Amino acid sequence: MLCSKNYRFALLLIFNLAGLSAFAAKVDSLEVPSASMNKSYKAAVVLPDSYVNSKNKAAYPVLYLLHGASGHFRNWLTSTPDKMLVKNLADQYNLIIVMPEGEVYGWYLDSPVNPESKFETHIINEVIPKVDATYRTIANKNGRVISGLSMGGHGAMYLSIRHPELFCAAGTMSGAMDMNWSKFRISESYYQSLRDRFQKLLGTPDPNSEIVAKHSVVNMVEAIKKNGLAIVIDCGVDDFLIDVNRELHQRLLYNQVPHDYIERPGEHTWEYWQNSLPYHVLFFYNVLKKNGSTVN
């Protein structure tokens, strides 16, 4: 009799687990042709369970979530300690989450010296139109937000500043808000590595050059103020990029630009970003709700 009860319990547990997996967010791997770089890249797309099983065919808001340097498009799905984090957030907030490719050092901008690195054009002209054509999205700025970590944090801010017609809110986690790597709290060996990488991307080994300043978010405060996008900035107090985040925060305060700014204990780690992402998604959800762009 005991064995029979254990057998029935095991079957019940299996059925319950199967039911849970049946009502979980779905991950697509979307192929995105890039005419700008003459190749194709992939993007990971997390579709909430309500989207997959919806009968009313509602249009959904979209979060573009960018990876950091030395990373690739699947990082947010594979590198967080909790591998269900992005899927659970998509389900919790009825949000499509798109994670595009930015290459190991593309910085989500169009390189002035490397024609094979045009990731601003790729995201804006190729990824977003492809996503809107493939899925039921709210295909305007009222239903589109963007965030990212480190290089992706700078990319999220950079793209939203330059294309305010496409986004209603932007966020950055541990973002390199100034591309002047001499301001980073890093070792000499890492400094040399960054110098070589930036020379390939921007064509200069000088961190104080005009081209570096031109592409740095910290120098775009006037545009941020003019655009009026909702902004959340988040960085750990022990992060090697904390100084450039504080600098942007102070410039925004001085220019009376509304924004949310968060510092908490933490370093440049996936544990920190796993903790940060739910705050960003909640921030975005409130903006989307105000716009009437949420799905109940």
Side-chain angles (χ1 to χ4, degrees), residues 76 106 114 224:
W76 274 105
N114 182 1
I224 296 173

Side-chain angles (χ1 to χ4, degrees), residues 3 49 57 61 86 116 119 234 243 253 262 272 284 294:
C3 290
D49 174 70
K57 305 303 179 184
V86 177
E116 295 183 354
F119 285 93
D234 184 348
D243 293 334
L253 287 176
I262 304 166
Y272 185 87
F284 293 142
T294 55

Side-chain angles (χ1 to χ4, degrees), residues 130-291:
K130 178 70 173 181
V131 169
D132 287 342
T134 305
Y135 303 101
R136 301 191 314 273
T137 65
I138 298 173
N140 60 65
K141 67 175 294 181
N142 289 333
R144 191 183 294 121
V145 297
I146 187 168
S147 189
L149 67 89
S150 196
M151 178 185 84
H154 184 277
M157 294 292 292
Y158 181 84
L159 294 174
S160 64
I161 293 166
R162 289 171 56 82
H163 303 276
E165 75 283 359
L166 295 180
F167 304 98
C168 63
T172 169
M173 290 168 264
S174 309
M177 296 293 95
D178 193 336
M179 295 179 75
N180 182 337
W181 62 96
S182 69
K183 298 180 180 179
F184 301 171
R185 298 182 183 180
I186 54 177
S187 66
E188 180 61 27
S189 60
Y190 192 25
Y191 180 96
Q192 299 299 328
S193 173
L194 290 183
R195 183 190 65 182
D196 294 341
R197 287 186 169 196
F198 274 114
Q199 182 161 11
K200 292 178 181 178
L201 179 71
L202 297 178
T204 178
D206 180 8
N208 296 296
S209 67
E210 183 179 343
I211 193 71
V212 172
K214 176 183 175 182
H215 287 88
S216 294
V217 165
V218 73
N219 298 319
M220 300 179 178
V221 171
E222 288 186 10
I224 296 173
K225 184 172 185 177
K226 178 182 177 181
N227 293 342
L229 300 185
I231 294 171
V232 55
I233 301 168
D234 184 348
C235 192
V237 296
D238 296 313
D239 196 297
F240 71 92
L241 295 172
I242 186 62
D243 293 334
V244 294
N245 280 268
R246 287 172 175 168
E247 176 65 21
L248 176 61
H249 173 50
Q250 290 301 320
R251 293 190 186 192
L252 292 173
L253 287 176
Y254 181 81
N255 286 274
Q256 299 181 328
V257 181
H259 64 288
D260 276 25
Y261 181 78
I262 304 166
E263 284 187 14
R264 67 171 71 89
E267 301 180 65
H268 208 74
T269 65
W270 279 104
E271 287 77 13
Y272 185 87
W273 303 321
Q274 174 170 289
N275 188 39
S276 296
L277 185 58
Y279 288 94
H280 281 237
V281 177
L282 176 59
F283 177 87
F284 293 142
Y285 177 80
N286 288 332
V287 175
L288 293 167
K289 187 175 182 179
K290 184 178 178 180
N291 290 346

